[in-house]
């Protein structure tokens, strides 16, 4: 189906005029005309098309999405406030009828909001796909001189209208409110035991429930991530077969062969997150020529958001017959019965095989894409509460027969024999390069058992998930990405993460730390509100050590609780590090209801050429501002609110806690600066002594005066260098955050030398040429004497 027809069928009527005008863009592109049209594509045509797609259509869609998200956020916050005002339930007492009705009305309102969030997600995805489709048409039809797809990818990556991050806070609050309402309205023990995390994906393996968190890892950070994990978890060897690889490497090569039909129904259902969406794959470790175990796996997404996996082992010689319906695993069933396995296990195997076979035949499935990658796994032996895997060297290869004239795979085979018979490996240079897509990053997946996820996650896991080393990509799927990258012309839905591939996913460590602290604080606030309503404790927030966001967050809450005022917003909070010694959030009860945001403008930067860089006393850095704020509080201490019971005023900053560890290069840099100053002092002293001695021998008062001035400058330079080296040593030992630029000394020395040289030149000029009318010869003689002395002293 063409995308234009898909767009017309998928339009949400209330927003029909807010979608991308795909037909207009196609008309500007002259899509209905043949490529050999006599009318050339001019620069004016290109300008009209680019202006329409970037300045009109893209801005229209992005602006509407921003407005709708803000409207939904206000409605969600309003519903949350209603929930906050709802009286807490008393254990053992039935709920009043009026309260029950109020909760039902609130649930109905949440249903309306949730449905609109889903429609907005579909709207975003549909427009996102439309923009990528139309620019691909442009580059293919009019791209001889103009390529705009990279610019479109960059523009889409800067706009959050097709990103999980735009909807995650809304879904998190909605999940918590649904959880609280259902705990009141349903019977005890009914419903979910804990609200669902929208950034995770529930999974079920061997009857155990897990939550999966997926991330991308840049190649520059891959080694650091692996070593960080290896300090906590040992590497896992999958099997003896994978350990006997020809290359001798411990990390096995995994091949996953994904199935779909000619209309890509499985892909479309998975991208649109339809209930009961399924995927099917064949998976094996190592090369197929080494006769590995082959698993046929089906993953099913249930209505509650969790996923279930069905799988069984099948021999290579039976795969083709099984897929065609000519074989139903009878020999495997008979073998299990001969081995005396339990009847329930045999029945389970038979039912799983029959269900998968019916699924294959009913949907006319065949292999379409292959994913090949190397996997590093980390897990404690006998302890599956934390399971981590890292996939590298990821390549996606076409395995379809859509083009009957030039099929990628022999239709009489279930796999590509040209790859498997030749033991071809990454980067697969020996096949048509249009049939392969290489993924630029590594994929990190963290699976946490349900008891850990609902309790307190290990701190090192929390730190890794919120660090700058990883890029969150929830719901990432190799099947979806491989199909979207290789069959873009065949599908009418594209995943949201495609635009991130053309951006640098590396982050500044401090920025990533602040963003994660802000998210944790906001989520803890929401959970505490729901927990207070239910009379339970869902979650708590403990600020990380030296967290600027957490400190200011707690400082705002302390001021609000003690003064009886509303908390300050993120834009008016005190500078980072100002409350370094404040106690944890448990001392203050509930957290602030205002969301905390991190403004990049508040982070300290080096502003060379400003007043603060020249005169450190006027520094506007966060450390100086923190010091000024602290001194102001001390002056107003008699008027400030008293601290809560058991809380004492901090005596030192958190950053000063622990042993002193200073790199040797810091000391050597301070010493090297001191020696440079001493060198200048010796040079100035030698010049001063030479001038003074020369002036005394010839009776030149000017030379003696200038020598005395230079002696004073040399003494000042020596004293200043000693003062600076001592002062900087104290700052290093104290781990001070103040500026290390002492610019007063260089300014004084430079000014003194400049003034001395100008005065010297003025007096010398006057003596040399001041008596030309009366005694020209004497003037010339004096000038020669001065010039000679200056040459002698190398002035």
């Amino acid at each position: 189906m063409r995308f234009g027809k898909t767009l017309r069928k998928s339009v949400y009527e209330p927003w029909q005029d807010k979608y991308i005008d795909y037909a207009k863009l196609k008309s500007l592109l002259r899509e209905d005309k043949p490529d050999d049209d006599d009318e050339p594509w001019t620069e004016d045509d290109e300008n009209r098309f680019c202006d329409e797609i970037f300045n009109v259509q893209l801005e229209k869609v992005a602006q509407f999405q921003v407005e709708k998200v803000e409207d939904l956020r206000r409605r969600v916050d309003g519903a949350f406030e209603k929930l906050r005002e709802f009286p807490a339930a008393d254990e053992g007492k039935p709920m009043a009828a009026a309260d029950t009705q109020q909760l039902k009305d609130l649930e109905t309102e949440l249903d309306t909001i949730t449905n609109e969030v889903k429609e907005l997600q579909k709207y975003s995805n549909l427009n996102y796909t439309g923009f990528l489709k139309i620019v691909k048409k442009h580059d293919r039809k009019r791209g001889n001189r103009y390529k705009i797809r990279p610019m479109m990818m960059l523009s889409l990556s800067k706009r959050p209208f097709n990103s999980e991050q735009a909807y995650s806070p809304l879904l998190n609050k909605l999940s918590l409110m649904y959880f609280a309402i259902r705990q009141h309205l349903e019977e005890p023990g009914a419903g979910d035991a804990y609200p669902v995390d929208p950034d995770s994906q529930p999974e079920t393996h061997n009857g155990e429930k897990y939550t999966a968190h997926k991330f991308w890892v840049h190649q520059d950070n891959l080694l650091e991530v692996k070593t960080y994990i290896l300090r906590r978890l040992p590497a896992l060897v999958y099997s003896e077969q994978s350990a006997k690889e020809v290359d001798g490497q411990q990390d096995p090569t995994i091949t996953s062969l994904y199935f779909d039909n000619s209309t890509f129904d499985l892909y479309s259902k998975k991208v649109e997150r339809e209930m009961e969406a399924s995927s099917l794959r064949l998976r094996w470790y190592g090369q197929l020529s080494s006769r590995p175990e082959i698993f046929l796996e089906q993953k099913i997404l249930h209505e509650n958001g969790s996923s279930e996996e069905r799988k069984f082992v099948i021999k290579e010689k039976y795969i083709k017959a099984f897929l065609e319906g000519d074989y139903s695993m009878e020999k495997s069933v008979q073998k299990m019965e001969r081995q005396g396995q339990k009847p329930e296990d045999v029945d389970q195997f038979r039912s799983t095989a029959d269900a998968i076979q019916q699924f294959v035949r009913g949907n006319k499935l065949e292999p379409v894409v292959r994913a090949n990658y190397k996997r590093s796994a980390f897990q404690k032996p006998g302890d599956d509460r934390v399971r981590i895997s890292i996939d590298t060297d990821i390549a996606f290869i076409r395995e379809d027969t859509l083009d009957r004239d030039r099929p990628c795979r022999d239709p009489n085979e279930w796999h590509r024999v040209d790859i498997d018979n030749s033991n071809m490996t990454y980067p697969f240079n020996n096949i048509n390069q249009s049939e392969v897509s290489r993924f630029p990053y590594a994929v990190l997946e963290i699976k946490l058992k349900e008891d850990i996820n609902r309790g307190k996650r290990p701190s090192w896991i929390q730190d890794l998930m919120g660090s700058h080393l990883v890029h969150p990509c929830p719901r990432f799927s190799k099947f979806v990405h491989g199909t979207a990258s290789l069959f873009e012309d065949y599908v009418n839905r594209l995943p949201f993460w495609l635009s991130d591939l053309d951006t640098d996913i590396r982050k500044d460590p401090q920025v990533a730390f602040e963003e994660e602290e802000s998210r944790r604080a906001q989520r803890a606030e929401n959970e505490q509100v729901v927990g207070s309503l239910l009379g339970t404790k869902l979650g708590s927030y403990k600020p990380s050590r030296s967290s600027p966001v957490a400190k200011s967050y707690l400082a705002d809450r302390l001021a609000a609780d003690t003064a009886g005022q509303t908390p300050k917003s993120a834009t008016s909070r005190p500078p980072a590090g100002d409350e370094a010694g404040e106690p944890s959030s448990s001392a203050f009860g509930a957290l602030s209801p205002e969301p905390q945001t991190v403004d990049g403008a508040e982070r300290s930067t080096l502003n060379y050429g400003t007043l603060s860089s020249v005169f450190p006393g006027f520094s506007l850095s966060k450390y100086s501002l923190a010091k000024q704020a602290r001194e102001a509080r001390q002056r107003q201490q008699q008027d400030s609110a008293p601290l809560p019971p058991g809380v004492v005023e901090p005596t030192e900053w958190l950053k000063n806690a622990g042993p002193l560890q200073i790199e040797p290069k810091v000391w050597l840099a301070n010493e090297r600066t001191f020696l440079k100053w001493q060198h200048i002092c010796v040079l100035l002293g030698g010049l001063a002594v030479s001038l003074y001695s020369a002036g005394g021998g010839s009776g030149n008062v000017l030379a003696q005066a200038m020598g005395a001035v230079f002696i004073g400058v040399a003494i000042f330079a020596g004293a200043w260098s000693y003062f600076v080296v001592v002062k900087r040593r104290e700052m290093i030992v104290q781990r001070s955050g103040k500026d290390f630029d002492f610019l007063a000394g260089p300014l004084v020395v430079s000014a003194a030398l400049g003034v001395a040289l100008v005065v010297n030149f003025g007096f010398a000029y006057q003596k040399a040429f001041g008596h030309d009318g009366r005694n020209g010869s004497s003037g010339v003689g004096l000038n020669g004497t001065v010039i000679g002395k200056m040459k002698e002293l190398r002035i």
Side-chain angles (χ1 to χ4, degrees), residues 330-397:
E330 297 91 351
K331 293 185 179 180
S332 298
V333 172
Q334 294 172 4
K335 182 178 180 181
M336 294 176 66
E337 292 175 345
R338 288 195 304 268
Q339 292 176 348
Q341 297 192 21
K342 297 179 180 179
E344 52 268 23
D345 294 339
V346 177
D347 294 339
Q348 178 67 27
F349 178 85
R350 181 186 291 109
S351 62
T352 300
D354 292 343
I356 293 180
Q357 190 174 49
Q358 293 176 8
F359 179 70
V360 173
R361 302 301 299 162
N363 292 277
K364 300 180 180 179
L365 302 180
E366 61 180 16
V368 293
V369 64
R370 172 191 297 236
N372 186 276
Y373 48 93
K374 289 185 178 179
R375 170 163 291 184
S376 303
F378 308 89
Q379 179 185 331
K380 290 182 180 178
D383 185 359
D384 60 350
R385 292 177 299 173
V386 179
R387 302 165 59 188
I388 298 179
S389 64
I390 300 178
D391 297 337
T392 57
D393 294 345
I394 304 174
F396 302 98
I397 304 171

Side-chain angles (χ1 to χ4, degrees), residues 164-165 168 198-201 212-215 273 471-477 496-497:
E164 286 286 330
Q165 303 300 325
S168 182
D199 293 332
S200 66
Q201 184 174 352
H213 306 262
K214 298 182 180 180
F215 306 87
R273 300 181 189 175
H471 175 75
C473 192
R475 305 185 184 278
F476 175 79
S477 167
F496 66 88
W497 59 74

